[in-house]
Amino acid sequence: MTNIPETGRTPRVQIRLVVIQILVLSLLGTLGGRLWYLQIRNGDEYAKEASGNHVQQVVQPAVRGSILDARGVPLADNETRLVVSASRTDLMKMDDDGEAVLTKLAGVLGMKPKDVIEKVRLCDAKTPQPCWNGSPYQPIPITDEATPKQALQIRERSEDFPGITAEPEAVRRYAAPGEANTAQVLGYLSPVTDEEITEAEDTDSPYLRSDQVGRSGLERQYDKELRGKAGVTRYEVDNLGRVIGKAESDAAEPGSNVVTSIDARVQRVAEYELNEAMVKARQQFDKITGENYKADSGAVVVMEAKTGRIVAMASNPTYDPNAWVGGISGKDYTALTGKKSNYPLLNRAIQGQSAPGSTFKVVSTAAAVEAGYEWDGGYPCTSSYSVGGQVFKNFEGESFGPISLGRALEVSCDTVFYGLADKEWKKDGGINPKKGEPKDYFYKAAHQFGLGQETGVDLPNEVTGRVPDRQWKQDYWKANKDAWCKSGKKNGSYTEKIAYENCLEGNKMREGDSINYSIGQGDTLVTPIQEAVIYGALANGGTMHTPTIGKAIISADGKTVKEIKPEVSGKLPVSKATVKGMDKALAGVVTGGTAAWKFQGWPQDKIEMHAKTGTAEVYGKQTTSWLATYSKDYTVIMTISQAGTGSGASGEAVRNIYSAMYGVQKDGSIDSKKALLPTPEKDLPKVKSDGSITAPKISKDPAKDLQASEEDETGAADGDQPAATTSPTGTGNRDTRRRGARPKKRRRALT
């Protein structure tokens, strides 16, 4: 056996020792570098975070500001209710995810266990309402209608209800004064989401997990002003969570009040008259379809003609915004958003768009004058207008012979506008326009009147409507060409033939397109708020205003008042002489034209009324009723889908709205004592030194409202209740804030 010398192993051992030494030194260097980074380089930052582990925050939600009508009457405010909430974090620590606790809670509250459990599940793409779309780390409200007895049971048996709280909280209330619902204008609240919290972190108005935010209407538009700033109290605690001291704290700042130009009394009348008009329309027989009118939706706008301020805005079907307070139920959510709901959450005054029918003729009249046609020219008003093999009829085949543009407006003669639009189409080169830009007077006039774009009203999600000019046709053709070419047939059904024609030349301005467009038919779409701006401009001599609902922002202490001034958005593209001619013609619509039968006996010599009726045809549906009107003070626009003619469906309702505002009686006399708003409200509500706002009471009877207003000015009569007061914290007095006076949640959409 050969012996290996020991000296042969020494170099290997030495190499291993060197490697180990290098590894040890590397580890020590890494640890040293890390310690330097933690203790020196970022020491202050981590020290600050570590200290935060011993500080707990308690959030005091800010009281949300009130939304008031023009006289200070609360449309949306707050009241104190007993709210039962569940901590999802605590429930998830239980073996059954808190199901047993929630089932027991349901028994105390008189609710179904399924409904309670659904309230605390988190919303996602697969989870239907009801569910919680707010932060999972904040208490989730189960009910805001707990009785004192129920709250006492929960608090006295806290060991049986871990993670459950029952506390008095300020809760949003949509007061509906005098049954003025104002739902789509006000909007509603829901909890802030984690995504919204993250997005707002670096803004000047960050969210807290406990915040409720506006989701539509004024609640969303003025959310920042209404929300205020939550208070935060910080406590120093030990590692066992025991409070050992109080750190700094920030007091809660209540939100500001938003004063609107809405008059709750006129709002109530507008809502009532719109609903009544729809109910009556459903009782009328439609000869064309062979069944009664459906009158499935509608809207009305009442606007100050000289400022653009909105006095009333109603949309039907409507709903009760109180349904969202404290979390919406599955039944209510389905009623508001399901396919059979007819979508009451839509504000059809700014989101409902349809062909305007003959109310559009004021635009076509302006276009004709701009194109060089004389106002007093003799234009043939025949019973029909023929182009090739197609016949375009006048309404009910009427014929008035040669008439002026003003007379054409007054009697709403379709064939006059057919002829003018057809001539301009031919001058522009017909289906293959001449080189260079066509004049397109009729289409350019619509844009100059503000159509095809938002009016800028201070409400979210306004739609633009549509002006089907050459650019729109080109864009629309590109988007739909493939579908048209696939489904179109030369000798197929009506819709297949249309698709076939559109496939070939849907991007070209055809003769029939321009003819239909001239009377507000075809692809033209407008909204009621756009019509209000146009007819308001005609009322005031030609100035278009940006419609506004917000009138002022008043801080909770009343010390800061920021007025929202009316803004001019443009001028009508017509001369003063043309505006004057239109004004005279539209007055003639009331006295001898298409609206005369609904305004018989109206005191035209004292309150001059102007109107334009519209009956828009919609393929596959019954006709849409439009009535656009104005006096020297106000513009009232009403539209009802599938309800028949403009004056037939809407005439009586619109007249009743004016009668209520001006105090016009059935016999045509004027009783100023019964006039709700004979002139627009100019002043803001009076703010007291403590920030509270005194407002008149609103009853269901307009006469009582007027009497109360007179008593407020001279002093309340013996035995009368004082006027309602909105306090800076939004709690108000017992007369208007007592629990029994709170409107009950309606469990269905209202029609």
Side-chain angles (χ1 to χ4, degrees):
M1 182 174 180
T2 305
N3 293 326
I4 301 173
E6 291 184 10
T7 55
R9 297 180 182 177
T10 303
R12 294 182 181 178
V13 173
Q14 290 177 341
I15 292 171
R16 289 173 183 170
L17 288 173
V18 170
V19 170
I20 292 171
Q21 289 173 350
I22 292 172
L23 289 174
V24 170
L25 290 172
S26 297
L27 289 173
L28 290 173
T30 301
L31 289 172
R34 183 61 177 165
L35 287 171
W36 175 86
Y37 179 82
L38 293 175
Q39 295 185 1
I40 300 175
R41 174 68 173 79
N42 279 13
D44 293 340
E45 179 182 342
Y46 286 104
K48 184 177 180 180
E49 289 190 12
S51 66
N53 294 333
H54 299 283
V55 175
Q56 293 293 329
Q57 294 184 347
V58 177
V59 177
Q60 296 86 36
V63 176
R64 194 171 179 86
S66 297
I67 301 175
L68 312 172
D69 88 340
R71 302 189 305 157
V73 176
L75 301 172
D77 57 7
N78 309 288
E79 66 178 352
T80 301
R81 303 187 203 172
L82 285 171
V83 179
V84 176
S85 302
S87 169
R88 182 177 172 82
T89 303
D90 291 342
L91 294 175
M92 292 299 102
K93 294 177 181 178
M94 303 175 190
D95 294 337
D96 61 351
D97 294 336
E99 186 173 337
V101 172
L102 294 175
T103 301
K104 193 181 301 181
L105 178 64
V108 172
L109 298 176
M111 299 173 66
K112 295 179 181 179
K114 176 176 177 289
D115 293 340
V116 175
I117 292 171
E118 286 179 344
K119 287 257 188 177
V120 300
R121 63 184 181 178
L122 300 181
C123 293
D124 57 32
K126 297 180 181 179
T127 305
Q129 287 280 355
C131 56
W132 178 249
N133 69 342
S135 171
Y137 302 106
Q138 75 176 81
I140 301 173
I142 304 299
T143 181
D144 61 3
E145 297 182 325
T147 65
K149 182 179 179 180
Q150 291 169 336
L152 194 61
Q153 280 184 276
I154 294 168
R155 299 189 69 167
E156 286 185 340
R157 296 163 50 197
S158 58
E159 68 280 359
D160 293 335
F161 298 102
I164 306 299
T165 57
E167 301 289 344
E169 294 181 15
V171 177
R172 201 60 164 170
R173 179 188 79 144
Y174 297 97
E179 297 187 349
N181 197 29
T182 331
Q184 292 86 357
V185 174
L186 294 173
Y188 59 92
L189 304 175
S190 72
V192 66
T193 64
D194 284 344
E195 291 78 10
E196 288 170 326
I197 292 173
T198 302
E199 290 174 3
E201 280 180 352
D202 297 327
T203 67
D204 60 352
S205 184
Y207 291 119
L208 293 176
R209 294 191 183 279
S210 59
D211 280 338
Q212 295 268 321
V213 296
R215 293 300 177 197
S216 67
L218 296 174
E219 292 279 30
R220 176 176 170 183
Q221 186 74 22
Y222 294 101
D223 182 73
K224 182 178 178 181
E225 292 83 357
L226 290 165
R227 186 163 23 105
K229 184 179 179 182
V232 179
T233 302
R234 300 171 181 85
Y235 294 96
E236 294 181 4
V237 297
D238 60 18
N239 58 352
L240 297 178
R242 295 173 298 192
V243 177
I244 58 176
K246 186 175 180 181
E248 60 181 2
S249 62
D250 301 320
E253 298 177 9
S256 298
N257 298 315
V258 175
V259 177
T260 71
S261 53
I262 297 289
D263 186 294
R265 303 165 302 171
V266 179
Q267 177 72 27
R268 174 191 55 203
V269 172
E271 290 176 4
Y272 175 82
E273 292 298 338
L274 174 61
N275 189 68
E276 283 294 292
M278 293 172 65
V279 170
K280 290 179 181 178
R282 294 181 194 127
Q283 299 168 1
Q284 302 300 314
F285 185 73
D286 180 10
K287 296 179 182 179
I288 298 175
T289 62
E291 58 184 2
N292 283 11
Y293 287 108
K294 294 181 175 63
D296 53 357
S297 62
V300 59
V301 176
V302 182
M303 188 180 81
E304 293 178 10
K306 296 176 182 177
T307 64
R309 285 184 169 137
I310 304 300
V311 177
M313 179 182 284
S315 179
N316 195 309
T318 188
Y319 69 100
D320 182 4
N322 287 295
W324 293 90
V325 177
I328 192 167
S329 69
K331 184 178 180 181
D332 280 354
Y333 188 80
T334 300
L336 296 181
T337 62
K339 291 182 179 179
K340 296 181 180 180
S341 68
N342 202 13
Y343 308 108
L345 296 180
L346 282 177
N347 184 349
R348 287 173 166 83
I350 66 169
Q351 295 173 301
Q353 49 188 0
S354 64
S358 292
T359 60
F360 185 77
K361 287 175 182 173
V362 294
V363 177
S364 294
T365 300
V369 174
E370 180 67 18
Y373 296 92
E374 294 183 5
W375 180 264
D376 292 321
Y379 305 101
C381 179
T382 55
S383 60
S384 63
Y385 187 85
S386 299
V387 174
Q390 190 171 0
V391 177
F392 297 87
K393 293 184 178 181
N394 197 16
F395 183 71
E396 295 184 347
E398 293 178 314
S399 176
F400 292 93
I403 58 177
S404 67
L405 288 176
R407 179 64 174 161
L409 266 182
E410 184 178 322
V411 299
S412 200
C413 181
D414 293 338
T415 51
V416 166
F417 296 98
Y418 291 154
L420 295 173
D422 194 20
K423 285 181 181 178
E424 287 307 303
W425 177 81
K426 291 175 180 176
K427 284 182 180 180
D428 285 332
I431 199 164
N432 296 306
K434 301 172 184 177
K435 290 182 180 180
E437 254 187 68
K439 297 293 185 182
D440 281 344
Y441 286 111
F442 280 74
Y443 297 97
K444 289 179 180 177
H447 288 294
Q448 291 169 332
F449 271 72
L451 298 180
Q453 62 187 23
E454 296 177 5
T455 64
V457 64
D458 52 343
L459 288 174
N461 302 320
E462 180 188 6
V463 299
T464 62
R466 182 168 66 206
V467 177
D469 54 16
R470 296 180 192 276
Q471 185 60 54
W472 176 83
K473 287 189 72 69
Q474 182 66 29
D475 295 340
Y476 192 66
W477 180 72
K478 283 183 178 180
N480 295 280
K481 180 184 177 183
D482 292 343
W484 284 333
C485 294
K486 186 177 181 179
S487 62
K489 292 181 181 179
K490 186 176 182 180
N491 298 314
S493 65
Y494 173 77
T495 54
E496 288 172 335
K497 287 179 180 179
I498 293 296
Y500 177 78
E501 292 176 6
N502 285 337
C503 170
L504 296 178
E505 53 181 34
N507 61 329
K508 294 184 177 182
M509 187 67 70
R510 292 169 289 200
E511 192 169 10
D513 293 332
S514 290
I515 288 173
N516 274 325
Y517 169 81
S518 69
I519 62 164
Q521 290 288 172
D523 294 311
T524 308
L525 295 176
V526 304
T527 63
I529 194 69
Q530 289 174 327
E531 292 258 282
V533 171
I534 290 173
Y535 281 86
L538 289 171
N540 66 41
T543 302
M544 294 186 289
H545 290 91
T546 300
T548 54
I549 298 176
K551 197 172 182 180
I553 308 295
I554 301 180
S555 62
D557 58 10
K559 294 179 180 179
T560 304
V561 178
K562 179 184 176 183
E563 289 193 50
I564 301 171
K565 299 289 186 181
E567 293 184 4
V568 173
S569 60
K571 294 281 186 180
L572 294 182
V574 292
S575 65
K576 290 184 178 180
T578 301
V579 172
K580 188 175 181 180
M582 287 185 180
D583 189 71
K584 182 179 179 182
L586 296 175
V589 174
V590 173
T591 57
T594 54
W597 67 299
K598 288 294 184 179
F599 282 87
Q600 289 180 0
W602 180 263
Q604 189 74 354
D605 57 332
K606 297 182 178 66
I607 305 171
E608 189 173 55
M609 188 64 56
H610 307 75
K612 187 70 199 78
T613 58
T615 307
E617 296 178 3
V618 182
Y619 178 72
K621 292 186 176 183
Q622 296 168 313
T623 54
T624 298
S625 166
W626 280 94
L627 184 57
T629 64
Y630 64 86
S631 66
K632 63 182 178 64
D633 303 299
Y634 302 106
T635 299
V636 179
I637 307 293
M638 182 175 286
T639 182
I640 305 175
S641 171
Q642 305 200 88
T645 65
S647 56
S650 304
E652 184 178 351
V654 170
R655 175 174 178 161
N656 289 343
I657 293 172
Y658 279 110
S659 295
M661 288 192 290
Y662 287 116
V664 178
Q665 305 304 294
K666 289 184 178 180
D667 60 1
S669 63
I670 300 174
D671 187 344
S672 59
K673 293 182 179 180
K674 295 183 178 180
L676 294 181
L677 201 64
T679 57
E681 184 72 49
K682 294 181 180 179
D683 300 326
L684 292 173
K686 295 180 180 179
V687 182
K688 294 183 178 180
S689 57
D690 62 355
S692 62
I693 300 174
T694 301
K697 292 180 294 183
I698 295 287
S699 68
K700 296 181 182 180
D701 184 356
K704 290 182 179 179
D705 293 344
L706 293 166
Q707 182 182 358
S709 296
E710 292 171 1
E711 289 169 353
D712 288 341
E713 293 176 1
T714 59
D718 292 340
D720 286 343
Q721 293 288 335
T725 301
T726 300
S727 72
T729 56
T731 52
N733 65 13
R734 292 184 62 191
D735 181 50
T736 58
R737 302 301 188 279
R738 64 186 185 277
R739 185 173 179 81
R742 179 168 61 86
K744 295 180 180 179
K745 287 187 179 181
R746 299 182 185 125
R747 296 301 179 188
R748 60 183 179 85
L750 304 175
T751 58

